[in-house]
Amino acid sequence: MPFTTLIDVDSLVALAGSAVLLDCRFDLGEPHAGRRAYAAGHIPGARYADLNHDLSSPVTPTSGRHPLPAPDVLADYFAAAGVGDQTQVIVYDEANGSFAARAWWLLNWLGHAEVAVLDGGFKAWVAAGGAAAGAPVEIGEPTPAPSGANSPFTVRLRPEAVLTAADVQRALVEPPRLLVDARATERFAGTVEPLDPVAGHVPGAVNHPFTANLTQDGRFLPAGELRRLWLTRLRGTEPSDAILMCGSGVTACHNILAMTSAGLPGGKLYAGSWSEWIRDPERPVARG
């Protein structure tokens, strides 16, 4: 059976090199830190997926900080990384899945469900010593694939998985939609804003920091606990009526992954999120 949400280190080792691995480590405050960490040591066979360059398109005057890539461009990137129609993909970041979840969501958006996030990330791999996989880490950059070696990758786009700012504005006056913001509590309240020029949140949104999905060591809570947590958060809203947002459409994917792992799939991503919402001064802002 393919892995479609989360995978642990032992199960990854059991795949015995049959999966494509993508290293999604990133630092919003220091964008080149992830690639440096990758070059210093990564899970053997993994290729680097840069949030800014591979998993996002260029920022525009009306977009958020991490616009979605064009589907054909994104499909070409995954194909060049070795992802084909039947490929099991494993994505990971440093520990908590906050960036790996973006790659997980993007592949699902393109119609490729055989993708899972390594629970506990690179830290979990190192802590396990790479288990029985030989050398626990590989150093340096991979040899580029030969020209024409891309795997066949068929896009089966799921446009219904993405909502726009206009969709969100309509949803604010159309119950039973529920808008859930994955940012930290202080950013949601508007008391701290380290990344965007305007602080606060979309009026009517509720806060569910993505870190609430995790244990203290950065792994996901068991599925049963996630389900209880999210049923409480949804307050009777159907999962398919939940709209997930954050600062730029990245950690919102973590909440979608947590819901899916809990057996509550169907949440929609407001891809532009807060950093897009505030581009238009006519859009309302709430604080507190």
Side-chain angles (χ1 to χ4, degrees), residues 102-287:
R102 167 76 167 212
W104 172 87
W105 184 90
L106 288 171
L107 278 159
N108 274 276
W109 178 51
L110 295 185
H112 189 89
E114 292 78 24
V115 53
V117 171
L118 178 61
D119 198 13
F122 186 67
K123 284 186 176 179
W125 177 266
V126 172
V137 298
E138 184 175 69
I139 296 171
E141 296 281 349
T143 302
S147 177
N150 290 8
S151 301
F153 186 98
T154 305
V155 174
R156 301 177 178 87
L157 192 66
R158 299 174 54 241
E160 74 283 356
V162 183
L163 298 183
T164 66
D167 294 325
V168 172
Q169 287 179 301
R170 285 192 293 270
L172 295 178
V173 294
E174 292 178 0
R177 305 304 291 270
L178 180 68
L179 182 59
V180 184
D181 192 319
R183 292 176 297 160
T185 302
E186 60 272 17
R187 288 189 67 199
F188 178 83
T191 57
V192 173
E193 184 44 70
L195 297 172
D196 294 308
V198 178
H201 59 267
V202 177
V206 298
N207 189 211
H208 184 96
F210 79 91
T211 53
N213 302 320
L214 303 167
T215 63
Q216 289 186 344
D217 66 357
R219 299 172 194 256
F220 279 76
L221 294 167
E225 290 186 40
L226 284 173
R227 186 175 181 86
R228 287 191 292 273
L229 182 70
W230 275 98
L231 286 174
T232 299
R233 169 53 63 209
L234 291 172
R235 299 180 300 188
T237 302
E238 291 294 324
S240 59
D241 284 326
I243 304 169
L244 291 303
M245 66 170 292
C246 56
S248 64
V250 176
T251 57
C253 299
H254 196 282
N255 277 349
I256 296 175
L257 173 58
M259 290 175 64
T260 305
S261 300
L264 301 168
K268 309 299 190 294
L269 176 68
Y270 170 29
S273 285
W274 180 249
S275 56
E276 179 193 67
W277 182 265
I278 59 175
R279 291 282 198 171
D280 183 348
E282 297 299 316
R283 294 182 187 130
V285 170
R287 294 184 177 87

